């Protein structure tokens, strides 16, 4: 009897994007981008938050707001 087949390894690749309004352009194909605040991967199909100004992606609205506050200090 043969052993069960090993699952196929799913290799993921980081995408390179240009963030625009209201969409982004894919410069290099991939499966995910990295959150600029948390450093965690964000699957492209779940990418909702980014900064056109900073050209960064964020995992959620709270992290996007935190980054905006950090980069826009009051005078």
């Amino acid at each position: 009897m043969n052993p069960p087949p090993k699952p196929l390894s799913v290799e993921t690749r980081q995408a390179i994007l240009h963030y625009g309004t209201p969409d982004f352009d894919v410069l290099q194909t991939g499966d995910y981008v990295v959150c600029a605040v948390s450093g965690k991967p964000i699957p492209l199909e779940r990418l909702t938050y980014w900064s056109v100004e900073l050209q960064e992606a964020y995992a959620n609205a709270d992290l996007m707001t935190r980054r905006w506050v950090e980069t826009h200090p009051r005078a």
Side-chain angles (χ1 to χ4, degrees):
M1 180 172 187
N2 293 329
K6 293 181 181 178
L8 296 174
S9 67
V10 179
E11 292 188 34
T12 58
R13 184 172 159 191
Q14 184 174 348
I16 297 176
L17 307 180
H18 180 268
Y19 301 100
T21 304
D23 297 313
F24 54 81
D25 294 316
V26 178
L27 303 178
Q28 179 178 311
T29 59
D31 305 300
Y32 69 95
V33 292
V34 176
C35 175
V37 178
S38 70
K40 294 183 179 181
I42 308 163
L44 287 187
E45 64 270 8
R46 300 189 77 199
L47 179 59
T48 306
Y49 303 100
W50 63 82
S51 168
V52 173
E53 177 186 3
L54 301 174
Q55 290 294 296
E56 298 177 333
Y58 310 106
N60 59 49
D62 290 336
L63 294 173
M64 179 183 70
T65 302
R66 182 189 315 172
R67 182 69 168 143
W68 191 89
V69 170
E70 291 171 356
T71 59
H72 293 83
R74 290 188 166 189

